[in-house]
Every structure is written in C-alpha cells, then in structure tokens.
C-alpha cells in the first residue's frame, strides 16, 4: 500500500515546491500534481527542473489533476480542456506520472442516464486519442453531489465499461462514494483493475445529497464506512495508491507542514490496519 498526497489538501496557501518539500520529509510515496499549481511553478521553473527534483528524491509523481467538467462543453471551453491535456501529457513525458484525472459537469439540465453516458463516452474517447500517444491513462472521477451529472460509482463504472479501454479507469474517492450513497456491492461487482486511484478521506455526518467538499475530514474521523471500503479493496487486491485528498478550509489554514504531517499520520494509521 502506497501513500500519495493530493495537492487539493493544501491548495489555498501552498505551492508545488512547498508540498514537495514536506511530502518528501514526511515520507509520502507519491504526489498528485494539480495543473494550476504546476502552471504557477512553471512561471519561474521548467519541467526539466521538476524532473531533476524527482530524480534526487524518493517521492514520485503519480497523477495530474486534472481535466474538470469534461462533458457538455461548447467548442471554446473544450479547447481549453485540451490545452490542459496537452500540458499534462508534456509533463508526464518529461517528469513522469502516468495518470490524468477528469470529472464531469454540473447542472446539465434534463438529461437521462443514457444521454449522459453517451455524451461522456464520446468526450472521453476524444481525449484518450490524444493521451494514448503519451501512454497517459485517464482516471474518471464521479462527484458525490446531486448537481453533478455523474455522481455514483455505478454510473461512472458503466461509462468506463462502455468506453472499454484498459487506459481508462476510475477514481474511487471515499467522500464522493459516501456522499451520494454509492454501494459496496457495486465495487465488489466491478473489475478491480479499473480502479486506478483511491482518494482517501472522510466526511461529516450530513444527509446524502447535502455534503460538499468543505465537509471533508481526515481519514477515519467521520461517517465514511472506512472499514467496509478498505476491506473490500484489500480483498479484491487493489494495488494502486491511497491518495489523501481534502478540501477543508480549516485544514487549508493550518501551517502547511503541520497539515502534510498530520495527513500522513492519519493515512498511515488507516492503512496500517489493513496491510
Ligand atoms: Zn477525489
């Protein structure tokens, strides 16, 4: 079991350089690099600089975060997504890291499950045509909010099954899984190799459909069925990363080093029970 740090956890006040420094210090195996933080880094540095950092340290890049709200876009907006795809692919080629995350749009109107699936499959297929030249894998994330058009594990799994490519898989985010009432049975019925990344976290105990990202808590501290999820993943032989991903304003306001250190301790404590 490998630990990973998702930069959303410190995104309000930190930088890629600071996150890397402290993640290396506290022993994370991997980092998920946010594209906005990468763009900021590239104002004064190059991708080659980043490559050198990873060559000289233990921590390695895992994924780039990510292409946001990919479906139901007009041509102009979609071309901006393709620019992000281009940046992630170039970074992956030079720096490493073989996964690119993506998610789906909100408030898309009166669309059936089938219409959403068809639209999303079409868009993912367009994206993968470019990504595959770089051996980049696409990790699709369902968002546990009622306004998001793909908001359960089952719905997202159906979409990637329809895409039917080994380089397109899922992100299983504990918060999103809980937030719209996704079921463990659906994970058990899935192909575990299609789960590319696990986002580990927890949540305050609000009703289904009422949760937002700011309700996220440290792993193990809230209402998520962590034991059920961990047991299921271990029994099914999941061997990807467990990536700490929080968006809690209270944690953003902690000193960055403290937040990264505490996140590692909280994640290690959960993983240590299932190794
Ligand atoms: Zn996530």
């Amino acid at each position: 079991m490998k630990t990973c740090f998702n930069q959303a956890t410190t995104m309000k006040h930190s930088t890629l350089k600071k996150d890397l420094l402290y993640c290396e210090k506290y022993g994370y195996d991997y980092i998920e690099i946010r594209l906005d933080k990468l763009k900021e880094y590239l104002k004064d540095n190059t991708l080659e600089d980043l490559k050198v950092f990873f060559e000289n340290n233990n921590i390695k890049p895992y994924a780039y975060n990510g292409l946001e709200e990919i479906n139901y876009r007009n041509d102009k907006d979609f071309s901006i997504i393709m620019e992000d795809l281009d940046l992630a692919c170039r970074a992956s080629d030079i720096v490493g890291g073989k996964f690119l995350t993506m998610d789906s749009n909100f408030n898309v109107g009166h669309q059936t499950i089938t219409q959403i699936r068809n639209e999303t499959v079409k868009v993912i297929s367009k994206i993968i045509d470019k990504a595959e030249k770089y051996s980049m894998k696409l990790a699709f994330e369902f968002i546990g909010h009622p306004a998001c058009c793909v908001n359960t594990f089952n719905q997202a799994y159906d979409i990637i099954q329809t895409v039917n490519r080994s380089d397109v898989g899922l992100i299983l985010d504990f918060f999103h899984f809980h937030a719209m009432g996704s079921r463990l049975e659906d994970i058990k019925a899935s192909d575990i190799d299609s789960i590319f990344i696990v986002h580990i976290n927890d949540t305050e105990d609000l009703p289904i459909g009422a949760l937002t990202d700011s309700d996220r808590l440290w792993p193990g501290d809230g209402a998520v069925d962590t034991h059920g999820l961990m047991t299921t993943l271990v029994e099914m032989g999941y061997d990807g990363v467990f990536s700490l991903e929080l968006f809690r304003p209270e944690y953003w306001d902690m000193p960055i080093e403290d937040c990264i250190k505490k996140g590692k301790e909280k994640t290690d404590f959960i993983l240590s029970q299932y190794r």
Side-chain angles (χ1 to χ4, degrees), residues 6 32 65 141-143 171-174 176 199 201 213 216 245 247:
N6 183 299
E32 284 189 77
N65 270 230
E141 184 166 40
F142 60 96
I143 305 295
I171 299 173
L172 168 57
D173 181 310
F174 285 9
H176 291 313
H199 283 167
N201 44 48
D213 277 328
R216 290 174 184 235
E245 187 193 44
F247 290 84

Side-chain angles (χ1 to χ4, degrees), residues 78-176:
F78 193 71
S79 69
I80 295 169
I81 291 174
M82 294 304 267
E83 284 171 19
D84 280 348
L85 171 65
D86 187 58
L87 171 62
C89 287
R90 280 189 294 119
S92 165
D93 206 32
I94 294 170
V95 177
K98 284 296 168 201
F99 296 95
L100 174 60
T101 73
M102 56 187 182
D103 59 31
S104 52
N105 221 327
F106 291 72
N107 300 311
V108 299
H110 190 269
Q111 292 289 298
T112 65
I113 297 280
T114 303
Q115 286 170 322
I116 294 165
R117 183 184 61 212
N118 292 345
E119 159 71 10
T120 311
V121 167
K122 184 185 77 185
V123 173
I124 292 176
S125 302
K126 250 191 219 177
I127 294 171
I128 196 67
D129 280 346
K130 183 160 187 184
E132 72 175 352
K133 293 185 198 118
Y134 293 87
S135 308
M136 182 77 105
K137 295 185 175 195
L138 298 178
F140 181 55
E141 184 166 40
F142 60 96
I143 305 295
H145 189 279
C148 184
C149 69
V150 182
N151 58 27
T152 62
F153 180 92
N154 215 22
Q155 194 190 359
Y157 187 68
D158 181 37
I159 287 168
I160 62 131
Q161 285 292 100
T162 309
V163 172
N164 192 25
R165 293 182 54 135
S166 60
D167 46 6
V168 178
L170 288 185
I171 299 173
L172 168 57
D173 181 310
F174 285 9
F175 170 85
H176 291 313

Side-chain angles (χ1 to χ4, degrees), residues 2-53:
K2 301 285 188 187
T3 55
C4 182
F5 182 78
N6 183 299
Q7 288 196 276
T9 308
T10 50
M11 70 184 215
K12 189 169 175 196
H13 303 299
S14 195
T15 62
L16 180 55
K17 275 189 181 176
K18 281 186 198 167
D19 284 348
L20 284 170
L21 177 74
Y22 294 127
C23 285
E24 174 71 11
K25 181 173 176 182
Y26 292 103
Y28 289 84
D29 300 297
Y30 291 100
I31 186 166
E32 284 189 77
I33 298 173
R34 282 183 63 90
L35 292 178
D36 56 351
K37 296 292 179 186
L38 179 61
K39 287 173 192 171
E40 184 186 88
Y41 173 88
L42 291 175
K43 286 178 187 166
D44 302 311
N45 305 272
T46 64
L47 289 173
E48 283 71 22
D49 296 332
L50 193 54
K51 178 187 178 185
V52 169
F53 173 88

Side-chain angles (χ1 to χ4, degrees), residues 80 136 196 253-254:
I80 295 169
M136 182 77 105
F196 289 169
D253 290 338
M254 292 170 68

Side-chain angles (χ1 to χ4, degrees), residues 143-273:
I143 305 295
H145 189 279
C148 184
C149 69
V150 182
N151 58 27
T152 62
F153 180 92
N154 215 22
Q155 194 190 359
Y157 187 68
D158 181 37
I159 287 168
I160 62 131
Q161 285 292 100
T162 309
V163 172
N164 192 25
R165 293 182 54 135
S166 60
D167 46 6
V168 178
L170 288 185
I171 299 173
L172 168 57
D173 181 310
F174 285 9
F175 170 85
H176 291 313
F177 187 85
H178 174 91
M180 283 298 289
S182 288
R183 300 173 309 170
L184 286 177
E185 291 68 34
D186 293 330
I187 302 180
K188 289 174 186 164
S190 73
D191 172 6
I192 196 67
D193 292 336
S194 70
I195 299 179
F196 289 169
I197 304 171
V198 168
H199 283 167
I200 189 167
N201 44 48
D202 213 317
T203 178
E204 293 186 54
D205 196 10
L206 273 68
I208 298 303
L211 286 156
T212 61
D213 277 328
S214 61
D215 298 314
R216 290 174 184 235
L217 294 170
W218 301 117
D221 278 9
V224 165
D225 179 12
T226 303
H227 181 65
L229 282 161
M230 289 301 300
T231 306
T232 301
L233 288 168
V234 168
E235 282 176 2
M236 293 178 74
Y238 171 75
D239 69 350
V241 301
F242 289 87
S243 187
L244 178 74
E245 187 193 44
L246 301 160
F247 290 84
R248 190 172 181 85
E250 191 184 320
Y251 301 165
W252 285 336
D253 290 338
M254 292 170 68
I256 290 154
E257 180 168 4
D258 293 357
C259 182
I260 289 174
K261 179 171 183 276
K262 184 155 187 170
K264 183 68 163 66
E265 289 166 358
K266 289 283 191 180
T267 304
D268 280 345
F269 179 71
I270 299 294
L271 299 189
S272 68
Q273 299 166 56

